[in-house]
Amino acid sequence: MKSYKARGVVLHTVKYGDSSLVVYLLTDLLGRQNYLVQGVRSVRGKGNKGAFFQPMFLVEFEGLEPPRGQMHRMKEVRMPVPLSSLPFDVRKSTISLFMAEVLYRLIREVEPNSSLFDFVAGAVVALDSLEEGVSNFHLWFLVRLSAFLGFYPGNEYLPGGWFDIREGLFSPVMPQHRLMLSPEHAEILHRMMTCDVKELGDVRLARGQRSDFLNAMLTYFGYHLDSIHRVQSIPILRDVF
């Protein structure tokens, strides 16, 4: 088998047989790729490699490319960036579960996309180190992710205006088709577009505002990608935030 070294972000896992996992990764080298990882669930196995494959964990590994289009395999996996708070903070772990499922549902490309990978990997590190504004992180992530999915807002924010979902543009008047974000949500969208992740604590949103803006963003995503509605972690996210 041909071997290669790559980095990945864990999106999803499925049990396979008695001791193995099928791991779905977003990788820097091959885009989205599936891997068969053997022996990670065996009590007699060496170490506890299964702990590496939690939602949004970063891994470095040696991959094995089999002939005839069979599933790739993985060995010598390690965590290049130890996560200090994400696995233990219920707010952050809930967000990471949501992020992983959104990417698992929406990203299908097997071609490498270094910009997307760097954004996602950087978002994991940023969430892990974030101290203030954690409750806004999933909103920031969705807004920024839209740039890599092809429907990031296409013009400058207009204070007091609306956001036209069909056109992907801020508008000074309410669109007649009414598929839009209200002026309040358009302003929050603008703040998420321009706010550095370290400044999320300065974005003061009440729980109701946060929930309503999430609904607005799901409508925006759903207009372009219907698969967003299959994200099952959304109710959990609403319960926590």
Side-chain angles (χ1 to χ4, degrees), residues 178-237:
R178 295 183 179 271
L179 191 58
M180 62 200 171
L181 271 61
S182 68
E184 178 185 2
H185 292 153
E187 181 181 2
I188 298 173
L189 174 59
H190 166 65
R191 296 181 75 182
M192 294 299 166
M193 291 170 60
T194 57
C195 178
D196 185 89
V197 67
K198 296 179 181 179
E199 300 171 342
L200 284 173
D202 297 330
V203 181
R204 304 297 182 184
L205 297 176
R207 184 184 181 95
Q209 288 178 301
R210 195 175 295 114
S211 178
D212 289 346
F213 182 68
L214 174 60
N215 290 338
M217 287 305 299
L218 294 175
T219 298
Y220 182 35
F221 269 65
Y223 178 77
H224 297 278
L225 297 167
D226 184 63
S227 52
I228 190 70
H229 299 301
R230 298 200 297 272
V231 175
Q232 298 177 1
S233 56
I234 293 173
I236 303 173
L237 196 69

Side-chain angles (χ1 to χ4, degrees), residues 28-193:
D28 61 338
L29 190 64
L30 299 171
R32 174 171 162 159
Q33 190 60 253
N34 308 339
Y35 290 86
L36 178 61
V37 187
Q38 296 177 299
V40 294
R41 296 169 48 229
S42 173
V43 294
R44 297 181 180 179
K46 296 180 180 180
N48 185 20
K49 291 183 180 179
F52 293 163
F53 303 113
Q54 304 302 313
M56 300 306 290
F57 274 27
L58 305 174
V59 293
E60 285 184 352
F61 61 96
E62 181 178 351
L64 298 174
E65 182 179 357
R68 301 176 185 175
Q70 298 175 3
M71 192 178 301
H72 288 232
R73 302 193 178 218
M74 181 188 297
K75 66 176 186 176
E76 296 185 12
V77 62
R78 72 180 191 90
M79 293 185 65
V81 181
L83 301 175
S84 60
S85 67
L86 190 150
F88 313 108
D89 185 321
V90 66
R91 301 170 306 157
K92 293 183 178 183
S93 60
T94 299
I95 291 174
S96 67
L97 180 65
F98 171 73
M99 292 166 62
E101 190 179 1
V102 165
L103 294 167
Y104 173 71
R105 300 287 183 187
L106 303 188
I107 304 297
R108 297 293 177 180
E109 294 79 4
V110 294
E111 296 79 17
N113 185 331
S114 59
S115 296
L116 172 61
F117 180 84
D118 289 344
F119 164 71
V120 172
V124 174
V125 175
L127 177 59
D128 185 65
S129 62
L130 197 63
E131 296 182 358
E132 297 184 2
V134 172
S135 57
N136 292 327
F137 188 90
H138 59 294
L139 306 178
W140 177 89
F141 178 78
L142 279 180
V143 171
R144 298 303 181 94
L145 180 63
S146 69
F148 300 94
L149 299 177
F151 48 91
Y152 192 69
N155 65 340
E156 295 294 327
Y157 171 64
L158 301 171
W162 307 72
F163 180 75
D164 188 322
I165 287 177
R166 284 187 181 177
E167 300 298 327
L169 299 172
F170 291 101
S171 172
V173 297
M174 183 173 67
Q176 293 185 351
H177 53 70
R178 295 183 179 271
L179 191 58
M180 62 200 171
L181 271 61
S182 68
E184 178 185 2
H185 292 153
E187 181 181 2
I188 298 173
L189 174 59
H190 166 65
R191 296 181 75 182
M192 294 299 166
M193 291 170 60

